Each structure stands twice: as C-alpha cells, then as structure tokens.
Amino acid sequence: MAQNDSTMSTPPYDLVAFGATSFVGKILCRYLWEEFGAQGAIKWAAAARSKAKLEELRISLGGSAAPLPLVVADAADEVSLRRLCASTRVVVSTVGPYALYGEPLVKACAESGTDYCDLSGEVQWIRRMLQRYEATARKSGARLVHCCGFDSIPSDMGVHFLQCQAMKQLGAPCTRVKMRVKVMRGEFSGGTVASLMNVVKEAAADPALRKELADPYSLCPVGTVPKVRQPNVRSAEFDVDFGAWVAPFVMSGINTRIVQRTNALSGQAYGADFTYDEALLTGRGLKGRFAATATAAGLYGFMLAAAIRPARAVLERFVLPKPGEGPDPEAQRTGFFDLRFFGTRADGRKIRIKVTGDRDPGYGSTGKMLGQAAACLALDVDKIAKPGGFWTPATIFGDRLIQRLTARSGLTFDLVPDLQN
Ligand SMILES: NC(=O)c1ccc[n+]([C@@H]2O[C@H](COP(=O)([O-])OP(=O)(O)OC[C@H]3O[C@@H](n4cnc5c(N)ncnc54)[C@H](OP(=O)(O)O)[C@@H]3O)[C@@H](O)[C@H]2O)c1
C-alpha cells in the first residue's frame, strides 16, 4: 500500500483514480493499466474507500513486476482527501452520485491546487461547485473539469471540431449548430441511474432548482449570458435539415449547458447569437414519426414516475440496475455511438461533421474518454496558458484531446460530405 504524506513536496503520482472500485472506475482502471501499466508515461494509483476491494481490483488486472499502487481514502473524510490530494498532481473521480458524495473532494482539490476531472453530469451540483470553489481554485491553481465522459465530451469536442472546420472552410463560426444522435447502443449502470434519480428527486422538491435546470445558460459565468433564446426539442418533431423525425435526447440537459459554457468561457468564440440543441433521430415517414412520439412519451413517463416517491421506489427496487451493476463486457464491446452535427453560418452556408465511438457510450467509451482527459490534464495542459479554475473539456483540452481520443480511445471526428446525413 502506498503511503500518503501531506508534507512531501513532490507528489509520487501524476494521477490517482478515485472510485476505482465503482462500475465505471474498474473500466477506467483497466484502460489506464493497459495504456500506462504501473510505471509508464503516467505514474498512477487506484484509490477507493475499501482496501479489500482495491486489492481485488489489483488482482483482476493481472500480474506485473511493478504492482499497481493503491490508496485508501473516503469521500466523507476530509483528512484522507487532503492526503490523497497531496499524493498526486491530478485526481480523476468516479465516486458518484456526485451531488451526494463529490463536494469534499472538489473542495480539497480546489484548496490544495490539485487538478481534477470527473464524470459528473449533474448540472445542479456542478453549478454549486462553480459558485463555491471557483475563487479558491483560481487562487490555488487547481484546474477542475467536470463532464469528461459521454456527457459531455462528444458534444463539447464535436462542436469545437465543427467550429474549427467552419473557420477553416467558411471563414467564420456557425451561429446555429444541431447535434442529432443517429445511432447509440448501450445501457445505464446503477450509478448513473442513482445520479439521475437524485437530480429528479431534488428537482421535484425545489421549484427554484427546476427553474435553474431549465436555464440553458445555467453554467455560464455571470455577465456572459446572451439574450438569445435557445431551441429545445421537447416533443416529436420533423427536422428538415436531416429529413427525419427527432425526439428529445435525455443527455441534452447537461450537454447543451456545457457547450454554452464553452462559448461563454472562450469569449463567445461561436458567436454571441450562437444556438445549440440536441435530439435523437428516429427515422423518416410514419415509422419515424411514431418512434419519435413513443420515445418522447416514454421519456416523460419515466421522468414523471421518477418524480413521484412510490413510483420511484418501485422503479429503484424492481426495474433499474443497482449501484455497482451495469452493462456486461459483451454489451460494452458491441455498443457504439454515431452523432451527427449540422452547422449553419449566418450567411446560410452549412457544414456537417460526425463523431463516433467504438464501444457503448456510457461505460466502454466513457472509461477511455475519461482516461485520456485525465492523461491530457496530467501531461499536456500548461499551467500558465490554462490557469486555475473550472474549465470545460473543449476550453482546457482543445485539439490535444481530439488527437488523444482518435489515436487511443476509438473515437472518430470527421467531416461529412454534403449529400450524406
Ligand atoms: N458522464 C458520463 O458519461 C457517465 C458515465 C458513467 C457513469 N457516470 C457517473 O459516474 C458515477 C459512477 O457511476 P458507476 O456506475 O460507476 O457507480 P457505482 O458503481 O454505483 O459506484 C459508486 C462508487 O462510489 C463509491 N463511494 C460511495 N461512497 C463513498 C465514500 N464515502 N468514499 C469513497 N467512495 C465512495 C463506491 O465505493 P465502493 O466500491 O466501496 O462501494 C462506488 O465505488 C455516477 O455518478 C454516474 O452518474 C457518468
């Protein structure tokens, strides 16, 4: 077991994966192990609250001359979190729901100047962290990056890629961008369901929070919010640009907020009148219309049931996966996603790109995206060019992460010829 000592000046690790025994944390650790071993380009350790589970994880990763270092820390114990921060330059956390367990670690990182990234997609919690710890992080130099998984790397980096192509080919950014999910094959884990249920539970009890969640600019810094009304696909509708029906997309509530924050942090690089929305493509004709209507009804039915306590209890007890459960390795291997982005410039010229992933979005691909985001934070991002504070994936990582994702994480970012959707 590695010793943590808060008095040491050079931390022994570049990176510590906290929550290593969670469903997605195990996928992340396997990926980091395959990429870096124990003594590769990144010196890293696995951390969790249970020493026994960590040792099981180490055994499951297989033998090596240099065993994976392990660190015991508890998300509720500030002393252990301070020791964790002193042992590393970067913490990557999969301990969630973040709204329940995440704040003490964000605080410890912000205070100690330790860089941090995670998989949180919980808007209300991210907003709270920004309000409480932005000033501290700026002072200490800690860079904090939420949403480094399927929400919201493909959306945030996809829009970044589209705008770079628009600048190159059309000479200006696109003021209107749509993301449409063409194909997505994957399932939810118990941890993701618990996070989603917690957001619905908090929102059901708090009207002010419901208003906050409905605000497309809720993660933008004060004073940067434009007056543009943002589009939002709330029901089945026909999308003329894609020539197909679309339905609401469950992740759009977080992804659109991150993309708007990227625009705000980059001084409105996408334009002060930039609009962005996300939806699921369901196909053409009557079949597509029916699928869009059924998807929208299913989503609202689920949200309603989750908001009502007895129905939520039934869902949690009998229907949904429990914490620690999730898609099996075969489902992760055969899963994939294909996202289409359509950008329109103010003069009507258009550009299309696509982003694809070669594993199920929430786990197989998310583990690899999170691993490369953490590696990018540890190895690529200059402390002077990108100082302390809360960043988005696109604003802190930019093209460097796209290179890593395409080279090492099975993602593709490509231009799509005009006639192809
Ligand atoms: N953004 C995305 O695309 C994306 C994708 C996947 C998951 N996620 C999010 O990632 C998080 C993890 O998901 P999951 O399915 O892996 O969840 P999970 O399997 O339920 O894992 C939760 C983890 O939290 C740990 N934990 C709970 N309390 C703790 C404490 N006091 N100290 C230390 N550790 C503690 C648990 O430790 P033990 O192992 O000891 O029980 C467990 O490892 C969720 O918030 C989920 O929403 C996001």
Side-chain angles (χ1 to χ4, degrees):
M1 181 79 38
Q3 285 298 308
N4 298 333
D5 180 350
S6 56
T7 58
M8 60 190 137
S9 49
T10 309
Y13 308 122
D14 299 313
L15 180 71
V16 172
F18 183 47
T21 57
S22 72
F23 185 79
V24 71
K26 287 182 204 158
I27 297 170
L28 170 71
C29 288
R30 178 158 295 284
Y31 177 67
L32 292 174
W33 183 247
E34 285 164 4
E35 284 285 288
F36 305 111
Q39 301 290 329
I42 288 189
K43 308 278 174 285
W44 71 285
R49 61 182 165 177
S50 158
K51 185 177 171 188
K53 280 193 184 181
L54 278 170
E55 275 165 358
E56 255 174 56
L57 170 75
R58 179 155 66 186
I59 290 165
S60 77
L61 294 177
S64 160
L68 177 64
L70 306 176
V71 178
V72 175
D74 191 303
D77 172 7
E78 290 201 16
V79 175
S80 75
L81 295 179
R82 277 202 295 276
R83 273 204 306 266
L84 179 75
C85 288
S87 74
T88 183
R89 294 193 293 113
V90 177
V91 179
V92 48
S93 173
T94 58
V95 174
Y98 294 89
L100 300 183
Y101 312 125
E103 180 165 353
L105 178 59
V106 168
K107 179 171 182 275
C109 287
E111 287 175 350
S112 62
T114 310
D115 293 337
Y116 168 94
C117 59
D118 72 18
L119 286 182
S120 167
E122 298 154 54
V123 178
Q124 85 290 11
W125 178 73
I126 294 172
R127 190 173 143 94
R128 251 179 266 151
M129 297 305 98
L130 297 174
Q131 288 168 341
R132 291 180 188 165
Y133 303 110
E134 173 83 40
T136 313
R138 284 188 183 198
K139 219 159 130 191
S140 72
R143 288 90 51 90
L144 298 106
V145 197
H146 299 297
C147 300
C148 293
F150 182 62
D151 40 302
S152 302
I153 279 186
S155 300
D156 199 27
M157 301 312 302
V159 176
H160 167 84
F161 180 78
L162 179 142
Q163 298 292 24
C164 292
Q165 298 303 318
M167 292 302 290
K168 269 191 222 154
Q169 302 201 358
L170 311 177
C174 291
T175 48
R176 172 77 177 108
V177 178
K178 296 173 172 186
M179 187 282 266
R180 301 293 180 250
V181 180
K182 186 173 180 191
V183 191
M184 189 173 88
R185 190 193 293 160
E187 297 161 25
F188 285 124
S189 72
T192 299
V193 167
S195 302
L196 189 64
M197 289 306 212
N198 186 58
V199 176
V200 177
K201 200 159 83 185
E202 282 191 37
D206 182 354
L209 175 59
R210 290 203 288 279
K211 202 170 155 205
E212 194 180 301
L213 291 174
D215 176 4
Y217 302 110
S218 62
L219 297 182
C220 294
V222 178
T224 62
V225 176
K227 292 198 169 51
V228 187
R229 201 184 155 86
Q230 291 294 323
N232 186 9
V233 175
R234 288 170 208 258
S235 55
E237 51 181 78
F238 189 75
D239 187 324
V240 284
D241 293 319
F242 285 83
W245 286 85
V246 293
F249 175 47
V250 67
M251 302 297 178
S252 74
I254 174 64
N255 295 337
T256 54
R257 279 46 173 173
I258 292 294
V259 170
Q260 290 298 343
R261 182 170 166 81
T262 289
N263 193 32
L265 292 186
S266 55
Q268 318 287 359
Y270 304 160
D273 51 354
F274 170 72
T275 60
Y276 178 70
D277 68 356
E278 299 190 341
L280 274 173
L281 285 170
T282 58
R284 297 167 198 264
L286 268 181
K287 214 169 143 196
R289 183 178 195 163
F290 177 76
T293 310
T295 305
L299 183 63
Y300 289 121
F302 176 80
M303 291 300 183
L304 189 67
I308 301 167
R309 200 184 300 169
R312 183 168 64 236
V314 172
L315 284 174
E316 284 174 339
R317 180 125 192 245
F318 299 110
V319 182
L320 299 168
K322 310 275 174 298
E325 296 174 0
D328 63 34
E330 182 59 11
Q332 291 169 35
R333 199 184 56 75
T334 55
F336 61 98
F337 61 86
D338 180 342
L339 312 179
R340 301 297 166 120
F341 294 74
F342 185 95
T344 313
R345 256 196 56 162
D347 63 7
R349 285 194 288 166
K350 299 178 191 328
I351 196 160
R352 293 163 195 263
I353 67 129
K354 67 174 175 175
V355 177
T356 66
D358 69 345
R359 292 282 185 280
D360 78 306
Y363 305 95
S365 267
T366 281
K368 297 196 282 183
M369 287 188 257
L370 181 62
Q372 289 302 336
C376 209
L377 202 47
L379 300 178
D380 305 338
V381 187
D382 181 67
K383 279 258 182 199
I384 294 174
K386 305 287 177 187
F390 285 79
W391 295 82
T392 59
T395 51
I396 192 161
F397 302 132
D399 295 338
R400 199 65 194 90
L401 183 60
I402 293 186
Q403 285 157 14
R404 283 184 169 277
L405 294 173
T406 49
R408 315 288 318 166
S409 295
L411 265 70
T412 66
F413 290 76
D414 290 303
L415 268 168
V416 177
D418 238 8
L419 292 174
Q420 232 180 290
N421 270 333

